[in-house]
């Protein structure tokens, strides 16, 4: 093999000069927006948000200036900015987006509630200066259909109300009615954490309580929390915590529900976890759609820092930018590091080599939310809550054709029929149960005759489904399982990060085939097997579930 000559110093200098140079005025404006924030690579997405929030878009000149300020290549900044859906990158000569965008969710629950008709009415009724966008789930499935005017979410949206809000430029995120720091402390908040820090609660007692409670990861994976903490304690220091509040799974809104009410309860759980594994820093990753929660959480974190009852670890709140795949733990970590949110190949696992290359405890917000309750009430209290032989409690995000959609705290192992009858006020008048998705779009769908199967981790796999984050979407005989499966596949196509071919190409081809009047079931079956076997992360692996379960349980729609 011919050895290539080494590049000369002159060649290296010329290579560094290639590309565009920044406009001095734009560079000065970008520097002003960044203020005194440290110019760190991992803050790239935060800085992109600052520019987008200020201008309403990201111009090429903004990206060039930001690259120069962070001492990054223009390509590196550009690839991150164009990866995330919530960044509007405007190339040279292109027209910037209108100053106001109305986003309409068209995921499953909103589709069932008439999102398509709402989009059509808004496109007819809104003026040229307002953009209408179809977007994936915005985490408000209990009040479908949902439109978001700027940052202002409107539940049970109708065209008249949305048009009025848009024309009035009513775009601000509304405040949340949450329990603030002072009231939380007055009610005994952070006393448990102080007990731990003071040594009044031995670490082994805390770990045993988590083990005995059988608390599992409530983001969807269901890994035992106590075991995860023990694994982290075995890793070399320094250790970190990453809290996942990027609940982008269609049908899921439980984390938002708790954040809007009692944010300090999960923060205390996070601090107890940091004490237990001796973590030096905590990073909280919150999905961008939750603007009200972000404002409230930032304010409450400031109050906690100003009035901390004990020394705090370093805590950072990071803002997502619209990418469902960042709900996967390693993709979320890549995003926190300021990169495209692409899942990592494993091993090594996040617990060993996670955020910034350090051992990282990754938890869903709700898992941490229950830590205080379990330690104060005892493991036996939590474990005794189950039904049908299961243990613990589940926060079911219920949407669709029921009288009382919302987050319902119910025993683990409850059946769908029990959940509907006891918590959801029954089916809507005129609607008969046809089927349900027990774990969001990725969990597949089950028919009415399987509505007495216990809902919990490990109970649904034999039926080709899983509970995931307990996002239960109920549909009736007014609805089409085939249309729901197509909606789910289009969602996965839109949200695929593109890293691996089976997911990138498979979801697109499957969506195309599923839009045909007659499904090519053999070819779809082949695609499903390849996606499941060869995709890097859970997005591609789970994408075939709605397709497979629709064919298996609703054959009448394909005859």
């Amino acid at each position: 093999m011919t050895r290539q000559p080494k590049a000369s110093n002159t060649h290296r200098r010329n290579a560094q000069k290639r590309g565009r140079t920044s406009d001095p005025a734009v560079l000065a404006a970008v520097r002003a927006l960044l203020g005194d924030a440290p110019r760190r690579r991992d803050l790239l997405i935060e800085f992109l948000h600052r520019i987008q929030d200020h201008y309403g878009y990201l111009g090429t000149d903004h990206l060039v200036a930001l690259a120069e300020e962070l001492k990054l290549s223009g390509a590196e900044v550009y690839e991150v900015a164009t990866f995330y859906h919530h960044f509007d990158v405007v190339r040279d000569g292109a027209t910037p987006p209108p100053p106001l965008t109305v986003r309409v969710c068209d995921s499953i629950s909103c589709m069932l509630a008439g999102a398509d008709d709402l989009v059509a009415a808004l496109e007819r009724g809104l003026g040229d200066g307002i953009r209408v966008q179809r977007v994936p789930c915005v985490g408000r499935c209990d009040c479908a259909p949902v439109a978001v005017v700027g940052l202002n979410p409107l539940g049970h949206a109708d065209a008249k109300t949305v048009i009025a809000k848009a024309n009035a430029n009513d775009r601000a995120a509304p405040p949340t009615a949450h329990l603030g720091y002072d009231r939380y402390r007055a009610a005994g908040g952070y006393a448990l954490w102080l007990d731990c820090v003071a040594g009044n609660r031995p670490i082994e007692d805390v770990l045993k309580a988590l083990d005995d409670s059988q608390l599992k990861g409530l983001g969807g994976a269901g890994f035992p929390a106590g075991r995860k903490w023990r694994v982290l304690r075995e890793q070399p220091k320094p250790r970190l915590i990453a809290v996942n509040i990027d609940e982008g799974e269609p049908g899921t809104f439980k984390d938002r529900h708790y954040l809007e009410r009692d944010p300090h309860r999960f923060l205390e759980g996070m601090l107890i976890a940091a004490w237990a594994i001796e973590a030096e820093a905590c990073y909280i990753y919150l999905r961008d759609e939750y603007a009200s929660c972000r404002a409230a959480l930032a304010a409450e974190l400031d109050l906690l820092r100003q009035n901390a009852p004990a020394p705090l670890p370093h805590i950072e709140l990071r803002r997502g930018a619209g990418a469902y795949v960042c709900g996967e733990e390693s993709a979320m970590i890549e995003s926190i590091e300021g990169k495209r949110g692409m899942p990592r190949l494993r091993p090594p696992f996040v617990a060993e080599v996670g955020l910034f290359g350090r051992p990282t405890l990754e938890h869903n917000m709700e898992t941490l939310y229950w830590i205080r309750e379990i330690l104060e009430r005892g493991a036996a209290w939590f474990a005794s809550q189950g039904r049908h032989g299961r243990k613990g409690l589940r926060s079911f995000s219920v949407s669709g054709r029921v009288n009382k959609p919302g987050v319902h705290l119910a025993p683990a192992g409850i059946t769908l029929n029990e959940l509907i009858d006891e918590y959801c006020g029954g089916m809507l008048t005129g609607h008969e149960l046809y089927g349900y998705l027990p774990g969001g779009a990725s969990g597949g769908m089950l028919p009415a005759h399987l509505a007495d199967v216990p809902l919990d981790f490990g109970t649904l796999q034999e039926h080709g489904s899983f509970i995931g984050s307990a996002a239960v979407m109920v549909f009736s005989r007014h609805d089409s399982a085939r249309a729901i499966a197509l909606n789910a596949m289009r969602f996965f196509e839109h949200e695929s990060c593109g890293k691996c071919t089976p997911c990138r190409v498979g979801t697109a081809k499957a969506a195309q085939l599923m839009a045909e009047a007659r499904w090519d079931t053999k070819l779809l079956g082949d695609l499903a097997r390849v996606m499941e076997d060869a995709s890097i992360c859970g997005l591609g692996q789970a994408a075939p579930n709605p397709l497979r379960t629709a064919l298996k349980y609703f054959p009448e729609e394909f005859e």
Side-chain angles (χ1 to χ4, degrees):
M1 182 176 69
T2 304
R3 187 179 298 275
Q4 297 296 318
K6 292 183 178 180
S8 67
N9 290 334
T10 302
H11 179 80
R12 290 194 188 99
R13 285 195 298 270
N14 290 338
Q16 289 171 355
K17 293 177 182 177
R18 290 174 184 168
R20 291 177 49 164
T21 57
S22 62
D23 180 293
V26 176
L27 179 59
V30 167
R31 284 174 173 165
L33 286 174
L34 270 51
D36 58 359
R39 282 14 180 199
R40 300 200 321 255
R41 170 66 176 81
D42 64 289
L43 293 174
L44 173 58
I45 293 172
E46 298 296 311
F47 294 155
L48 289 170
H49 274 302
R50 290 193 189 189
I51 299 170
Q52 168 98 17
D53 290 346
H54 183 78
Y55 291 101
Y57 65 95
L58 297 171
T60 306
D61 52 353
H62 298 137
L63 302 183
V64 172
L66 183 58
E68 180 174 331
E69 185 68 4
L70 294 180
K71 296 180 172 55
L72 299 173
S73 71
E76 197 170 2
V77 173
Y78 186 84
E79 72 176 8
V80 172
T82 54
F83 178 85
Y84 294 93
H85 302 311
H86 289 187
F87 293 138
D88 287 308
V89 177
V90 178
R91 296 169 177 84
D92 290 336
T95 303
L100 180 61
T101 297
V102 174
R103 296 175 173 86
V104 180
C105 173
D106 66 355
S107 287
I108 294 170
S109 294
C110 285
M111 179 192 75
L112 297 180
D116 290 340
D117 292 339
L118 177 59
V119 169
L122 293 177
E123 289 176 339
R124 290 192 305 267
L126 287 171
D128 294 336
I130 300 174
R131 176 175 57 168
V132 178
Q133 279 187 339
R134 289 175 174 267
V135 296
C137 186
V138 296
R140 297 180 180 274
C141 319
D142 51 332
C143 51
V146 179
V148 184
V149 179
L151 298 176
N152 186 4
L154 304 175
H156 304 297
D158 60 79
K160 181 179 179 181
T161 303
V162 175
I163 290 171
K165 292 284 187 181
N167 288 335
N169 204 22
D170 188 359
R171 64 172 74 191
T176 62
H178 62 275
L179 185 67
Y181 178 77
D182 289 340
R183 289 175 57 205
Y184 184 78
R185 285 295 309 278
Y190 293 110
L192 177 61
W193 172 55
L194 286 173
D195 261 0
C196 294
V197 171
N200 297 329
R201 288 187 178 254
I203 179 61
E204 189 54 42
D205 289 356
V206 170
L207 294 173
K208 186 176 186 305
L210 292 185
D211 292 337
D212 293 346
S213 72
Q214 300 187 41
L215 176 68
K216 296 181 173 65
L218 298 173
F223 192 86
R227 191 188 310 170
K228 186 178 279 193
W229 291 21
R230 291 181 188 278
V231 169
L232 261 295
R233 285 177 56 82
E234 296 170 356
Q235 305 305 313
K237 294 179 182 179
R239 306 167 190 142
L240 303 175
I241 289 179
V243 183
N244 192 335
I245 322 181
D246 193 59
E247 57 173 357
E249 180 69 38
T252 308
F253 47 92
K254 63 182 179 62
D255 291 350
R256 174 183 61 79
H257 172 88
Y258 289 120
L259 270 179
E260 290 177 341
R261 288 157 177 78
D262 196 357
H264 286 281
R265 189 168 293 269
F266 109 80
L267 290 174
E268 184 167 8
M270 179 187 75
L271 291 175
I272 292 170
W275 161 79
I277 71 162
E278 300 178 58
E280 70 171 25
C282 303
Y283 292 80
I284 302 168
Y285 190 86
L286 178 63
R287 72 179 307 203
D288 196 31
E289 288 84 350
Y290 292 169
S292 297
C293 292
R294 183 171 64 253
L297 187 54
E300 294 303 325
L301 280 170
D302 284 343
L303 290 172
L304 175 60
R305 294 185 186 104
Q306 294 163 14
N307 304 278
L312 295 168
H314 178 72
I315 301 173
E316 288 194 28
L317 174 60
R318 293 297 185 87
R319 180 178 173 185
Y324 164 74
V325 71
C326 289
E328 194 276 339
E329 62 178 5
S330 66
M332 177 192 69
I333 282 171
E334 290 286 297
S335 190
I336 293 173
E337 292 179 354
K339 305 170 187 174
R340 292 176 294 169
M342 289 188 164
R344 297 175 178 176
L345 293 171
R346 288 170 286 186
F349 297 98
V350 165
E352 302 163 320
V353 182
L355 188 56
F356 307 122
R358 299 175 180 178
T360 303
L361 175 66
E362 188 274 346
H363 262 320
N364 172 255
M365 189 220 81
E366 196 206 348
T367 311
L368 296 170
Y369 184 90
W370 288 109
I371 299 299
R372 175 185 167 187
E373 204 87 358
I374 288 170
L375 295 181
E376 287 183 342
R377 295 197 182 194
W381 164 80
F382 189 80
S384 68
Q385 300 298 314
R387 192 178 290 189
H388 303 298
R390 313 306 296 180
K391 303 290 186 181
L393 292 164
R394 292 288 175 274
S395 299
F396 292 94
S397 304
V398 185
S399 61
R401 308 297 192 179
V402 296
N403 279 311
K404 294 180 181 178
V407 174
H408 297 291
L409 185 62
I414 194 171
T415 69
L416 178 74
N417 280 331
E418 293 168 339
L419 186 64
I420 292 174
D421 291 344
E422 298 175 31
Y423 291 85
C424 301
M427 295 288 292
L428 284 172
T429 302
H431 288 264
E432 179 186 352
L433 179 64
Y434 182 35
Y436 65 107
L437 295 92
S442 60
M445 62 183 82
L446 298 176
H449 74 260
L450 291 177
D452 289 319
V453 176
L455 298 174
D456 197 15
F457 296 113
T459 61
L460 303 173
Q461 275 78 351
E462 64 179 291
H463 304 292
S465 183
F466 59 79
I467 192 171
S469 57
V472 179
M473 293 183 278
V474 180
F475 57 97
S476 75
R477 295 194 175 274
H478 290 262
D479 307 312
S480 163
R482 174 180 174 145
I484 291 170
L486 175 57
N487 182 291
M489 189 60 72
R490 284 174 172 164
F491 169 81
F492 292 127
E493 177 190 7
H494 183 263
E495 295 299 317
S496 173
C497 76
K499 183 172 184 175
C500 64
T501 303
C503 177
R504 181 183 68 251
V505 177
T507 53
K509 185 63 176 177
Q512 178 185 344
L513 291 170
M514 292 165 70
E516 298 290 335
R518 188 173 186 83
W519 285 15
D520 185 336
T521 55
K522 182 180 184 307
L523 182 54
L524 284 167
D526 291 342
L527 273 174
R529 280 190 294 276
V530 171
M531 282 192 280
E532 184 178 60
D533 293 342
S535 294
I536 290 173
C537 81
L539 191 157
Q541 294 163 9
N545 287 338
L547 155 66
R548 284 177 165 168
T549 51
L551 288 170
K552 180 177 181 179
Y553 293 116
F554 304 91
E556 65 275 11
E557 295 194 24
F558 303 94
E559 294 173 354

